[in-house]
Amino acid sequence: MKNALITGITGQDGSYLAELLLEKGYNVYGIMRRKSVVDYGNVDHIKDKINFIYADMTDVISLINAMIISQADEVYNLAAQSFVATSWEQPIATADINALGVTNMLEAIRTVKPSAHFYQASTSEMFGLVQEIPQKETTPFYPRSPYGVAKLYGHWITKNYRESYNLYACSGILFNHESERRGKEFVTRKITDAVVRIKLGVQDHLELGNMDSKRDWGHSKDYVKAMWLMLQQETPDDYVIATNETRTVREFVEIAFNHVGITVEWQGTGVDEIGIDKTTGKTIVKINPKFFRPAEVDILLGDPTKAETVLGWKREIPFANLVERMVKNDMELVTREIKISKLN
Ligand code: NAP
Ligand code: GDD
């Protein structure tokens, strides 16, 4: 039985990866931050099957301790301050966790168990102001946020430890991936949650920032399979994981509303653009400039050919199904919430 250590286990990807590794018979360890109210996040349903270790990415001693306890054969470094918008508000914490935190984890591995295989959660945000379309492993980086800059450090330090110390260290350059477990601050879940609330009459309208921005959206469940595959190869390497399809935020809004039987019609431009319910004439989408970012990543479109060829990885959940699943899940959650609030 192999031991796996997952940092960021309470997050979206951590939860799907934990499920995958448990299915494969791994002994799963996960690091958790101490909180005033104990919260297992997205792994609450499988918490009894996971060995939790209190640690923090900014505290190398706690990571050394996590390596000693877990004796991990595979380490998946998913912990991060992962919300791009927050990285302008907390640039130092973002760098501590997303950049130096990676060195902390690599040092802990080097000190305790250098034979462990290491996965680093790199990101398409590193491509930022994209230098070519589609983006692949050889595309030059140009990050556009403190988050992207910090992640680029994490990416290069992973490569550097592979070359300096011969560690089995891989970076997965993952494009946006979403799910029913996505945090509600990210645009896709913000949209699906609002769409069902508007449909059920408990929210008036949805406020968004830049609807022209384009993203390559996949499902997290597919993407964690790629992480595992990367650590099973003869030699460590870096891979782009993406769907090779891109859509605007506006298109996501339209499709999500379609799933609850609402057709959106657009009027106006720029900050004055609004989305109207075609049947009722009511304004259901507005622009709020507070959601604009100081610097934007306009388009992401990934080329996953290397992962498909070398790893045999394949995306299984198509975009239409991703949106459908997210809307359906939010419909169940919000309906339950409304029922409970009526009982109280
Ligand atoms: P997520 O849901 O925000 O999860 C982040 C996890 O990191 C949470 O478990 C969080 O724990 C933990 N964490 C944050 N700061 C920490 C610290 N100082 N010490 C220990 N743990 C800490 O993110 P995700 O979407 O699953 O993404 C997983 C990883 O992939 C992240 O590194 C992200 O940057 C990267 N990535 C994501 C995408 C995407 O589209 N989802 C694409 C490319 C790369 P708490 O529960 O305590 O907050
Ligand atoms: N969050 C949010 N909220 N984004 C909005 C909004 C809004 O109200 N309105 C428009 N957007 C636009 C953002 O400006 C951005 O261009 C796009 O929607 C996607 O934003 P997010 O869903 O917050 O994700 P992200 O692309 O910035 O970052 C995610 O993907 C990265 C990979 O490319 C995160 O998961 C990162 O951790 C990940 O590395």
Side-chain angles (χ1 to χ4, degrees), residues 70-90:
S70 66
Q71 287 301 314
D73 302 295
E74 295 174 11
V75 178
Y76 296 87
N77 185 33
L78 310 185
Q81 189 301 94
S82 71
F83 189 42
V84 172
T86 294
S87 74
W88 279 280
E89 288 156 5
Q90 299 176 19

Side-chain angles (χ1 to χ4, degrees), residues 188-217:
T188 55
R189 185 80 194 284
K190 179 176 170 180
I191 295 168
T192 59
D193 177 67
V195 158
V196 304
R197 285 178 193 277
I198 291 167
K199 174 73 183 175
L200 296 172
V202 291
Q203 184 171 327
D204 184 62
H205 66 277
L206 162 67
E207 290 190 356
L208 291 170
N210 178 11
M211 287 201 292
D212 292 321
S213 108
K214 293 178 130 182
R215 290 292 181 274
D216 179 331
W217 282 297

Side-chain angles (χ1 to χ4, degrees), residues 12 80-85 88 98 121-126 145 147-148 151 174-178 182-191 206-217 249 287-288 290-293 295-300:
Q12 171 188 257
Q81 189 301 94
S82 71
F83 189 42
V84 172
W88 279 280
N98 298 8
S122 284
T123 163
S124 48
E125 266 290 306
M126 300 186 308
S145 61
Y147 168 86
K151 280 284 184 177
L174 271 51
F175 281 62
N176 296 51
H177 45 281
E178 319 294 313
R182 188 58 144 155
K184 286 188 188 166
E185 67 275 39
F186 298 95
V187 79
T188 55
R189 185 80 194 284
K190 179 176 170 180
I191 295 168
L206 162 67
E207 290 190 356
L208 291 170
N210 178 11
M211 287 201 292
D212 292 321
S213 108
K214 293 178 130 182
R215 290 292 181 274
D216 179 331
W217 282 297
V249 170
I287 301 296
N288 187 336
K290 89 171 180 195
F291 297 114
F292 290 154
R293 294 177 179 178
E296 182 60 280
V297 172
D298 295 325
I299 174 164
L300 291 174

Side-chain angles (χ1 to χ4, degrees), residues 7-15 31-33 35 39-42 55-58 77-83 97-98 119-125 147 151 172-178 181-183 185-186 220 223 227:
T7 76
I9 196 162
T10 55
Q12 171 188 257
D13 292 2
S15 68
I31 77 157
M32 233 173 70
R33 290 193 280 188
K35 288 175 194 149
D39 177 8
Y40 293 94
N42 284 306
D56 193 294
M57 295 312 293
T58 60
N77 185 33
L78 310 185
Q81 189 301 94
S82 71
F83 189 42
I97 301 165
N98 298 8
Y119 173 85
Q120 167 59 16
S122 284
T123 163
S124 48
E125 266 290 306
Y147 168 86
K151 280 284 184 177
I173 307 174
L174 271 51
F175 281 62
N176 296 51
H177 45 281
E178 319 294 313
R181 300 178 191 169
R182 188 58 144 155
E185 67 275 39
F186 298 95
S220 171
Y223 286 41
M227 297 175 187

